[in-house]
Amino acid sequence: MAPVKRKGSGESESTRPEKKPKASAPSSKLSVPKNEEPDFPRGGASVLTPLEHKQIQIQATRDVLFEQTTGKKSTGNEFEDEENEADQPDHADGASLKAKRKKGSKKGKSVELTEEAAVRIEGLSYKRLVPGSIVLGQVSQINRYDVALALPNNLTGYIPLTSISDTLAEKVAALVADDDATDEEDDVKDIDLKSFFSLGQYLRAYVTSTQDGAASVGKGRRHIELSVNPRQANMGLKNADVVVNSMIQASVLSVEDHGLVMNLGLEDTTIRGFMSSKEVGQNVDTSEVENGAVFLCLVTGISSNGKTIKLSSDSQKAGNIKKTHFLIDAPTVDSFLPGTAVELLISDVTSSGITGKVMGMLNVTADLIHSGAAASGKDLEKKYNTGSKIKGRIICTFPTVERKKLGISILDHIVSLKSNSSTSKVTTDAIAPTQMLSISTVLEAVRVVKVEFGMGLFVDVGIKGVRGFVHISKVADGKVESLSESTGPYKLGSVHKARVIGYNSMDGLFIVSLEPKVIDQPFLRLEDVKVGQVVKGTVEKLMLNENGVNGVLVNIAEGITGLVPEVHLADIVLQHPERKFKEGSAVTARVLATLPEKRQLRLTLKKTLVNSDAEIWDSYEKLKPMLQAPGTLVNILPSGAVVQFYGSVRGFLPVSEMSESYIQDPKQHFRVGQVVNVHIISVDADGKRMMVSCKDPSVFGSSQREALKHINPGAIVGGTVSQKTDDQIIVELKDSGLKGLLPFEHLADGSSQKCLSMAKKIRVNQILNQLVVINKSDSKRLVQLTSKPSLVKDAIDGKILKSFDDVVEGTEVHGYVNNITPTGIFVQFAANTTGLLLKAHIPEEVIPLPDFGMRRNQSISARILSVDHGQQRFLLTLKSIAEKDPTIKPDLAESCLPGRALSNPIDNVSTSLDDYTIGKLTKAKVTSVKQTQMNIQLADGVQGRIDVSEVFDSWEDIKDPKYPLKAFHRSQILPVRILGMHDSRNHRFLPITHRGKAHVFELTAKPSEQSEADSEILTLDKVEVGSTRIVFVNNISDNCIWVNISPNVRGRIRAIDVSDDVSLLEDLSKSFPIGSALRAKVTSIDITSNRLDLSARFGSASTPLTLNDVSKGMVLPGRVTKVTEHHVIVQVSDVLCGPIHLTDLADDYAKVDPTAYHKNQIVRVCVKDVDASNQRLHLSMRPSKVLSSSLPVEDPETYSISQLKVNDILRGFVKNVADTGVFVDLGTNITAYIRVSDLSDLFLKDWKSNFEIHQLVKGKIIAVDPALSHIQMSLKQSQVDKDYQAPLTFFDVAVGKVVTGKVRKVEAYGVFIVVDGSANVSGLCHRSEMADRKAPNPKALYNEGDAVQAKVLKIDQTKKQISFGLKASYFGSESEPSVRLGVKSKETSDSDDNSDEEMAGMNGVEVKGIGGEQELSNKQGLESRNVRDLESDVEMENGHDSGVTVTTENVETSKPGDLGLRTGGFDWTGGFSASEDTDTQSETDEEPSRPKKKRRRKAEIKIDRTGDLDANGPQSVADFERILMGQPNSSVLWLSYMAFQLQLSEVTKAREIAERAIRTINLREETEKMNVWVALLNLENTYGNDESLEEVFQRACQYNDSQEIHERLISIHIQSGNNEKADALFQTALRKHSHSPALYLNHATFLLTTLPYPDRARALLPRALQSLPSHTHLALTKDFGLLEFNTPHGDPERGRTIFEGLLATFPKRLDLWNVLLDAELRRGETARARALLERVTMRKLKGRQAKFFFKRWLELEEKHGDERSRARVTAKAAEYVRVHKGDGEVAVD
């Protein structure tokens, strides 16, 4: 039965003839009425006469001819191709044919029955393809997530990833289940569909859906979704239907040794298929076949039990159907599915196709294309005869027809299951048509060879055996009604210009278009777009994210859109890209890359790339060194940058190639997205790597290249210092101009200190001679140099090793250390010649030293031990020359020299330095006592140290554990034993006699060590786990303290293990200062990582806690590991931690603040519960739990629902805000629900904005259901508050009543006012009721939120509307004067009613009875605490102010200049105040009120006083806006405006005001702008987060002086207590502004006062002296010296040392003497001050100078001395006058 004909998408109802509506789809079938005779009467006789049979045959022939000639269907026919249907013209013949049909009413029914039996030739079309159709297709494209299948009649379907096989679908589901958080791309990244399918593969497909997707223009895009899953592709196939020579679809279940086990998708899952390895195909490797792959297989055999089906997917075997492999007989017609080859008996042949029968009963048809008529052009009626048999292959089913019918193809390539091919003139080999003629090719001339009237044209495209097809809709730009073979522009033989738009491998036809718009289109598909091509396009869409525009979509052709990333929008960073790129605007772009498999296109709009004429670098193969082109930086690293070109070509730009000058941080000079011109240094096409350079290649010209080519390692050169960095010197070589690198370590053979000292003496432009070339790099164009004397001497003598040929066994050579490993040392010589010095050939005395006592680049002299010429390696040794060559290890060699004589030894016994050996008992004098050590002196110039761990034998010997060395004092003589040498450079203890140039001995003063018996030195391997040791605090970090057991054994104690007393753990630095003593137990030792862990807890909790050791109610110390807004995570042991929720942080929920805790803080916690099953703890920090607190518990803890009772009033924290209500956390795992109706007594329009997560609320329990664990609360004040008063309702308002309220909305006709304390009762005040004079503009007077006082004028009970009045006259007639807040009126000098002027929104005062008696009193309801200003400038007739009496006691008034507010401790006025206007003060505040006469109304000139304000200053938004119009550059006003908004908790508005101020203030007003920037930094620091503060800070640095902004933000951090942030910002500022002496001094002051880091502060001085010019050194050094005196963490002794150095260098600078004298006096060091004065007066001074110092000396003695000392000063002064009398005026009074 034919289905109901559907309308084509291109045909409208108005142009189609109307048809009678049909009841249902099958109603088109004409059936026989019940009273008719049956179809098969007895005897098999027909009900029709022979004449009727003849008439039926003639009518059927006419119908067929009519359709073929006109393209229009006759009545009752099925629909044709839907594209043809839309374009078919109407013909009159159709009407006549219908008329003829109506004749012969008697035989009409029988005629229709015969028509139904006729088989109609029809091809597959989109409309005939319905869900359930099965078709044969050929794989045409394999994408990332689907496979395209070419279907008959120019159709294409798509197979999604999940519709391939059950095995593959399970694999995809498993990948998705493994990681639900990843995108689909990540889920299927392991699945490559190219390993499952091959191009040209034939498959049977089941249509799952057909749908029309919306398109931008024209018809909708059609999408056909297919499934090749055997379960659906073999739909309807039963077990018995599977016969030999039939085709069946199967998927691979498993790959076995001899073949593949296949899943057939049958209902009986026990039936499996097996395909031998020989049957898979010639080009298929069985081992590479994936599980889940699908094959269309030929059934070659069936096992005896029917459970195993033998299969073959060999296309050669299945396609060879000459004799076998085609299906002749089958048990049912269900065996005939697409893909199966059959033999058919031709029943009819027409010019449009062939009809036939299979097995004598199954109808099959071959349409115009698949009968071969279209491709060959031959007449089918001449080629095939009715009644003959031919072979074909089934290609589709027609499930919508009543009688089963199949579509077949007799095309050779489909019958043989091969891909269509052609031959060229050059070769006879079969070539794919698309290789001979690619898609998108424009053909200048194609010839029409066949015309199908309602279908289209077949044309010759010049490919043998392959034709092109032009659909009727593709013939011209407009609509073509019909085509003719003999007439018209498209007749047979006509030639046209065309373009290939596709190819269908099933049909074997090129799809061609003659439309000019298609021919002229630049691109038809993404594959046509070439990388590097310049294209024109239009902006289609702006891509947005949270930061703004992050890309632009540009359409370059129909259906082709490319993405322009944000960095490629322009050469510069666009602040507002949306202003430049509007949707629809035309742009010119260049193609960066195309990814056809992902359907992606990337473009650039950078002018430097679009307009560049450079060669396009899109492949590594065509690149070579020295080529130049622009590229884009896509990533910037410390070592260089990655440069992106076109396609996938990238290059690496080393930091050394970025510029001719030295670049330390590439990010300071380059940015991501910047275009740079580079040239290639080297390229590796195979490895796809390339190195580029930004340096000008012309600078390194031919002469330099030639010089680099001829310079050889070992050559001696000279040059000029061009640059000096932190660790090397850049030298420009003479004559050649080459760059040479001379590291500091290559300046000398000695120690690193000597090399550094020599480097300091070298200056830029200094000439250096006798430099030896060690190595050269042709790629980097650099030469490595050395000036080590040993290597220079070898180079001069020609002995330096330059290659392996120079290596001679037994010779002594000089080199330098290149690398140090645990097994040996690599020694390098010239030209990268390297030898190995094994550990066995190093002197034994240096083997225990770290790195064998060596350092990289250290000079070394060795003997060549052996040479391996085969592998070109050689070994070195030091043992034979260790004693005679000092270059092995300078420090070690020095220790071998004879000891020098000692001067003033403390023990009076030792005479030489060699007397101090390991274990020697001697005596030492204490020179200073530090926190962790005592510095001692063994003799003059011989220093030593005693670590605090080497002083006490037992804990009882320590009198003060907090300050153990307090008992020792300076100049004390102690018996000591020598342990070894102390390395003062790295503070390491060397347990052997290793003497460097700084002789610092490591000593012990333990009483037990003062015996002659030698004792072993404690090392880590001798420490035992569980042993108890005395330890001394060495350093304190955030989560632990570091302690020393001995000078060379260091351990760590976690913060929670420092003490059993948790109160001591709150401030570790205070409770356990550095140097304090502890008793600790060793808990673990890891010798390999040199780690030692200890614990100072000896209570019950000293052992590591596990879950089994913890019980409910235990109080434990813990360490905070994480702090969030809703809980605090505390760790109580290595394996145990637990959260502390908001309800467990305090007994009073109002005091809960998780941010008060910080990471690594030690706290005391109580175990609430132990969840053993989930291995979790629930902890609490309530004082009532962890302390024996007797304080009342404001919010009792809620353990379970059983505790709660109805009517209980509790507080809790909002846990979630849902659409249905609010959930409140009352305790651990106890949550209450509050319905929306129970949130408030008032109606809340936007109720969600009133609640936020973690908000503290108070409510009443209204329902408890323990069984369901449900708790319901109410937040209504009427239920919670006992003293609750119901809000004012509409019925409580009466006419004449005066109310207060707030402006809810301002309109042009009036303002809406909400009454205070009411249930949202509001009304309207019309503009005519606002003032007694002419109606003002409401928007100019009022803003939303302004407080006003109004009078009820009218009430409409029916409409529930209230009318208010704001006229001043409404309030002037009352008998009692009163004060009202917020009454708004406007005053001018000519005001008719002399009303007071008040600022918008200001809490001002309206004085009643203007012109009469005015009296104010506290008794009349005036609350003085609410009054901020009682001044009124009401001008009276006599010129005096109105008499207003105000009681001023306890009245807070604001000064006129105090425009700003103080918030959070910061002065928002920036330290400025507005000028005070004293004239505005009321002169009659203390005078009694007296009556005044009303002034007559006189016409005066109106004066604009909108800028005048009363003495209070601005008090509303409108006030500020009016003032700022006159003073837009005043930072004081802007800051006051910000403070005003902050007082209203409007942080966002305050931030907007600051941004507005920055834009408004004139650029010349730098100070004003700076004030606003500082205020904005303060605001972000107080109310913002780190990200917002950093963003404002970066912008401030950009628009202001960067150093000043750094200093301002540092000051802000210090004021707010963010010391760590201040310290980090100090370091950043010093890196950027190293030229500022004040910055160094401020940082040092901060480290010595605020932070206890004196070592870091002192390290700043040498760094500053190296960076700053020399003229600043003296003043800065003096200031650093003063810091040691004046700061709490300073060392006065060190300060004296600094000043002594300055005085030794600058002895004539008397100001230095005076500064040092003042410093000593401030510290009370009278003796030192007296000695200093004596020293300075011994110098030769001028008269005034001498007088000054003698006078200060005398004042000192008068204050701190006696008569004798004063007489001594007088005598010294007289002596000085006598001696220097002849030198000038030296009189001293």
Side-chain angles (χ1 to χ4, degrees), residues 1544-1558:
L1544 301 177
S1545 300
E1546 296 288 350
V1547 179
T1548 304
K1549 291 185 178 180
R1551 188 180 288 113
E1552 293 173 354
I1553 291 170
E1555 297 289 350
R1556 180 180 159 199
I1558 292 171

Side-chain angles (χ1 to χ4, degrees), residues 1712-1733:
L1712 295 177
W1713 294 89
N1714 197 32
V1715 170
L1716 179 57
L1717 179 62
D1718 291 337
E1720 296 288 7
L1721 290 175
R1722 279 196 299 270
R1723 292 191 58 84
E1725 297 286 349
T1726 308
R1728 292 183 181 276
R1730 186 179 291 114
L1732 192 63
L1733 286 168

Side-chain angles (χ1 to χ4, degrees), residues 1406-1474:
E1406 182 204 7
V1407 181
K1408 301 272 306 189
I1410 297 179
E1413 293 187 359
Q1414 301 183 8
E1415 187 179 78
L1416 295 176
S1417 174
N1418 287 337
K1419 297 179 181 180
Q1420 295 170 342
L1422 175 62
E1423 295 183 0
S1424 60
R1425 64 177 181 272
N1426 295 327
V1427 180
R1428 294 187 55 86
D1429 191 8
L1430 300 178
E1431 296 163 358
S1432 177
D1433 295 335
V1434 181
E1435 185 179 357
M1436 308 311 294
E1437 183 177 3
N1438 57 5
H1440 296 287
D1441 292 339
S1442 61
V1444 181
T1445 301
V1446 180
T1447 303
T1448 58
E1449 295 179 359
N1450 301 324
V1451 177
E1452 178 187 357
T1453 60
S1454 60
K1455 297 180 181 180
D1458 293 341
L1459 300 180
L1461 302 176
R1462 294 182 178 269
T1463 304
F1466 173 69
D1467 185 3
W1468 288 95
T1469 64
F1472 299 95
S1473 61

Side-chain angles (χ1 to χ4, degrees), residues 1-5 22 24-30 76-79 116 120 122 400-403:
M1 180 184 296
V4 176
K5 181 175 178 181
K22 299 179 181 180
S24 60
S27 63
S28 60
K29 173 188 172 185
L30 300 175
N77 286 349
E78 294 178 356
F79 57 83
E116 183 182 17
R120 184 170 181 271
E122 55 187 6
T400 57
V401 299
E402 182 181 5
R403 299 182 60 186

Side-chain angles (χ1 to χ4, degrees), residues 450-469:
K450 186 176 180 64
V451 179
E452 287 295 324
F453 302 106
M455 185 176 178
L457 307 174
F458 290 91
V459 296
D460 183 4
V461 295
I463 305 297
K464 184 178 179 181
V466 182
R467 286 185 174 178
F469 174 67

Side-chain angles (χ1 to χ4, degrees), residues 81 147 191 406 558 697 839 860 897 980 1013 1040 1140 1194 1401-1402 1464 1493 1512 1708:
D81 184 273
V147 177
I191 299 177
L406 302 175
E558 183 178 354
K839 182 178 180 179
I860 192 169
L897 296 175
C1040 67
I1140 302 176
E1194 183 71 20
M1402 164 187 170
K1493 292 184 179 180
N1512 275 339
K1708 295 183 180 181

